[in-house]
Amino acid sequence: MGKTYFVTGTDTDAGKTVVTCGLLEAARLKGLTTLALKPVSAGCHQTESGLKNEDALALMEAMTLSLPYEQVNPLALEPPIAPHIAAAEVGVSMTLDRLVGYCRGALMRKNDLALIEGAGGWRVPLNSREMLTGLAKELNTPAILVAGMKLGCISHALLTVEAILRDGVRLAGWVANQMDPDMSRYDENLATLKNMIPAPCLGVVPFLSDTSSGRVAEYLDISTLV
């Protein structure tokens, strides 16, 4: 069985899906077999075959294995709000055990690299007692952090790293994703994070008008992951 990682971000819209798809493409270009999961998604749209999430669909397009949508995104919620609030609103029960079971079932498919994409940042509740990122610990899966490069990114990134490590999860690496093309002191912020995050930088993705997986993969180095 291949390597599995949990992809998290410094915040909502930090670029988790864009970077995850880029990592999947970088692996494909090396001839590796990949799969990706989005266990929980909020902000889904109705289709003829049920609720679908754009991020989950993007992961399905980027990975090499073919899985049913329900395996990639077992808990799809329509309201575009925090998942535990969305679940309560539509009467869905979300538990860590349930999600661990879904993920383990999907990960039985033989692969070289599997990526599990979280929702929002690191501290996202599943319910009143459990966090979504408990998946990383239960599955013994190291984390990859996507740092959205914008004003405030240093504090957001370092606090997230601190939380990951405090939860007993290994940080396998991080990716800087430039969200603001006009960010003041971008180079200095990036240098600070490279100096202070105790894990390899897997890539620096500049602000791109074309965020296709092939374009993003050009800026990523997965050599330490596989």
Side-chain angles (χ1 to χ4, degrees):
M1 193 59 68
K3 301 288 186 67
T4 303
Y5 299 93
F6 186 95
V7 182
T8 191
T10 46
D11 201 351
T12 300
D13 295 329
K16 291 188 304 296
T17 304
V18 167
V19 170
T20 301
C21 288
L23 292 168
L24 293 168
E25 177 63 12
R28 187 192 70 79
L29 292 171
K30 288 181 175 290
L32 302 178
T33 302
T34 64
L35 68 81
L37 306 176
K38 179 82 174 176
V40 176
S41 67
C44 300
H45 60 275
Q46 285 284 0
T47 71
E48 291 181 357
S49 53
L51 287 168
K52 297 291 175 68
N53 175 264
E54 293 298 334
D55 292 345
L57 293 171
L59 297 179
M60 292 178 71
E61 189 173 336
M63 67 192 199
T64 65
L65 289 175
S66 178
L67 292 176
Y69 182 88
E70 292 71 24
Q71 270 199 297
V72 175
N73 178 206
L75 287 179
L77 305 165
E78 190 168 7
I81 51 180
H84 71 295
I85 299 174
E89 192 170 288
V90 298
V92 171
S93 173
M94 293 197 303
T95 65
L96 191 55
D97 279 348
R98 185 179 176 190
L99 288 182
V100 168
Y102 285 140
C103 290
R104 283 189 173 141
L107 292 170
M108 289 178 69
R109 286 288 301 274
K110 186 177 179 181
N111 66 84
D112 298 311
L113 176 68
L115 300 177
I116 302 171
E117 184 185 322
W122 186 255
R123 290 280 182 246
V124 172
L126 274 179
N127 50 53
S128 61
R129 298 171 294 104
E130 298 174 316
M131 294 284 172
L132 173 59
T133 42
L135 269 176
K137 191 161 187 177
E138 290 296 318
L139 296 170
N140 195 26
T141 300
I144 295 171
L145 173 64
V146 179
M149 299 298 291
K150 60 180 181 178
L151 184 65
C153 64
I154 293 175
S155 180
H156 290 163
L158 296 181
L159 283 170
T160 303
V161 169
E162 185 180 312
I164 290 169
L165 299 178
R166 182 184 295 159
D167 286 354
V169 176
R170 182 172 73 85
L171 182 62
W174 66 284
V175 175
N177 181 45
Q178 187 174 6
M179 303 171 65
D180 179 2
D182 302 314
M183 179 183 175
S184 177
R185 304 292 183 175
Y186 173 80
D187 291 339
E188 291 92 330
N189 278 262
L190 179 60
T192 299
L193 290 179
K194 284 185 173 181
N195 183 55
M196 298 190 74
I197 294 178
C201 180
L202 307 175
V204 177
V205 181
F207 185 83
L208 298 171
S209 56
D210 173 11
T211 57
S212 63
S213 57
R215 188 80 174 91
V216 175
E218 295 175 19
Y219 299 95
L220 300 173
D221 178 6
I222 63 167
S223 57
T224 61
L225 300 181
V226 294

